[in-house]
Structures are given as structure tokens and as C-alpha cells.
Amino acid sequence: MRKTMFFLVLFAMACSLWAADPIIGTWKLNIAKSTFPSNAPPPPKEQIEAYRYLDTGEIELTYRLTDKDGSSVLEVFTWPAQGGAAKMIKGNIPKNISWIQTLIAPGEWYVTAMEDGKQLGTRHKTISKDGMIYRQSWKRTDSRGKPYEILLVFDRQ
Amino acid sequence: MRKAMLFLAVFAFTGSLWAADPIIGTWKLIVDKSKGSQPTTDPVKEQMEVYRQLDSGEIELTLTRTMVDGTSSVSKLTWPAQGGTVAFVQSDPRGRSLVETLIVPGEWYVTYMRDGKQYLIVHKVVSKDGRTLFQTWKGSAGLASGQLVDSTRVYERQ
């Protein structure tokens, strides 16, 4: 009995140590709950973000976006699970664009997008306490240099 | 009169566009007000951080540090004023790469990486009255030690 209890406690401890970041999972953009200012790109028809752990100790993001005209984008990125420099595995983004995924706390990330090492914008990603809602606050400037902020709200699938 | 008003309005508008980040200035670490763990391998006795805006559109940080054992060092770093990759002007990067992320004026995150992997973050916030700079350090202390750091450092404007 004692041995069983010991193994159960050990198992529970190991599970807690290996608890996945709450961002892991598949998220679908809820356009009705998101906000798009007039000087920002228009809302897409559909956007899905899928985050998963890789055996390499990285997180992989598969990003699928379908616009209202039917065109679509598929991009895949990876970065160290503890935070760090992101790599584009699939997609057509220029090579002078880079991203840093900074882990603030489990379920909270800052993404810094840079062009030639200069910050273009940030994305603040947070997961709700119940783990069902993912909010992404996106700060950038438009072509005239006017700042704007998009709030994307995703539902867990 | 109208022309004068227009000129003043334009002057005020451009002034607001060119307003320096509140972090610009000279800051002294107040050791007594700071709390949390700091690396036992290099405890700091005195530290000054001088941030200034360069004509090149960058921010320069000159960090002067005196350790408890009396040794001192000066590091100089620069990065784009809008945020971005840090260049080590005077000091050895020791395998580190840093990114300064501008959240809003007076609020920055510094991401420390080794081989592209995050090992430390520093959250810098200037108080609303502009007199105090708070730095929250979380992560691993050094390249080799792996010692955990969780501290808040308080600086006063000089």
C-alpha cells in the first residue's frame, strides 16, 4: 500500500513538472469577439493556430489563415519551449524578418517581430484561467506610421 | 494670432512625437530597496545605469557596476529606440544575445538568450512620476552557473 502511494505521489509530481504550457492545443479565431481598427488589415474569414510540443524540446505553431477572397496562408514556426528565437519552417516571409518568443509565465508570451533587428511590433498572448480562451493583442504601426492595436480572441477546439 | 496658435500647436505635436522614452536618464541601484535572490557568484555593491538616445536612432546603455569584492566593470550596449536586437559595444557578449522589446514608453522586456534559447527575462518599468525604475529579473543567473534568479531591483533617477 505504501509503495503504491509512493508511486502515485511520484507520478503526480512528474506530471506537474511536465505540465504543458496552456497555449498547447488548437485555437480558432472568434471574429465576433475580436476587434479590428479601421487602419489595421481587415479580419480574415477564418484563422486557426495549432500549438504542439516537439520531441526536440521545441514548440511548433501551425498557422492557417483564409481570407474572405478565398486565398489562404499556411505557415509553420518552431521555437524553444522555454522561449527564444523562432524559426520559420514553412511560409513565404522575407528572411530579414525575425521573431523572438519570450515566455513570461506559462500561458503568457510576448512575440517581438523584427525587421533587420528593429522591432516592427509585438504580440501579447495570454490564456484565460479556465484554459478555454486565448487572447492575442497585436501592436503595430500602419504604412503612415500610425499605431494600431488588434485584439484577437480564440476559442479552444 | 491664429498663425501663432497654429505654430504652437504644431510645435507641441512634434514635441510629443519626439518625446524621449522615460527610461532615458541616469539611474542608481538602491540596494536596500531591492529584494530577492541575486547571484552569489557576483553580488553587486553599487550599480549605475545611464540610458541616452543617440542621433543614430538608438538607445545606449552604459552600465557601471562595482562588486562587493571591490572589482568594477563598465558595459556599453545599444539597440534601436523602437526596440530590437542589442549590440555589445563595450563588453563581451559571452555567448549571449539580447533583445529589448518596447511594450509602451517606459516599459521594456529584455530577453536573454544563449544559442537562441531564453534563459532570463528582465521587465523594466519606469514609475508614473518618472523617478523610479523597477527591474524584475526572472530566470537563470549566468551562463555556467544555472543559478535561479527571482528579484526586483529598484533604481532612483539621479
Side-chain angles (χ1 to χ4, degrees), chain B residues 124-137:
Chain B
K124 301 177 182 179
V125 182
V126 177
S127 63
K128 281 189 180 171
D129 66 4
R131 305 301 307 164
T132 312
L133 167 64
F134 298 95
Q135 292 189 5
T136 309
W137 292 59

Side-chain angles (χ1 to χ4, degrees), chain A residues 21-23 27 47 49-51 59-63 77 79 86 99-112 122-128 133-138 151-152 154:
Chain A
D21 190 287
I23 207 165
W27 303 91
Q47 186 173 326
E49 295 191 5
Y51 294 81
I59 289 177
E60 180 192 79
L61 162 62
T62 303
Y63 169 94
F77 303 90
W79 62 89
W99 302 266
I100 301 298
Q101 297 267 355
T102 302
L103 175 61
I104 308 298
E108 185 182 3
W109 295 79
Y110 257 108
V111 188
T112 311
T122 59
R123 293 182 187 213
H124 187 205
K125 302 175 177 183
T126 53
I127 308 297
S128 63
I133 308 287
Y134 158 35
R135 290 181 180 84
Q136 192 182 107
S137 166
W138 188 16
L151 175 65
L152 302 178
F154 295 79

Side-chain angles (χ1 to χ4, degrees), chain A residues 80 82-85 100-104 110 112 114 117-119 122 139, chain B residues 80 82-85 99-104 109 111 113 116-118 121:
Chain A
Q82 79 246 46
I100 301 298
Q101 297 267 355
T102 302
L103 175 61
I104 308 298
Y110 257 108
T112 311
M114 294 179 287
K118 291 181 180 172
Q119 182 176 319
T122 59
K139 286 182 184 170
Chain B
Q82 78 251 44
T85 306
V99 169
E100 291 264 0
T101 300
L102 173 61
I103 308 300
V104 288
Y109 265 108
T111 310
M113 291 171 287
K117 292 179 181 174
Q118 175 185 324
I121 53 170

Side-chain angles (χ1 to χ4, degrees), chain B residues 39-82:
Chain B
T40 52
T41 48
D42 58 344
V44 175
K45 182 184 168 195
E46 196 175 283
Q47 187 164 312
M48 296 286 281
E49 296 193 4
V50 181
Y51 295 82
R52 67 185 189 107
Q53 188 112 23
L54 304 180
D55 291 340
S56 59
E58 294 170 298
I59 289 176
E60 179 192 78
L61 164 61
T62 306
L63 195 151
T64 309
R65 192 182 272 175
T66 306
M67 305 304 178
V68 170
D69 66 6
T71 58
S72 62
S73 62
V74 179
S75 307
K76 199 166 275 192
L77 315 169
T78 61
W79 61 88
Q82 78 251 44

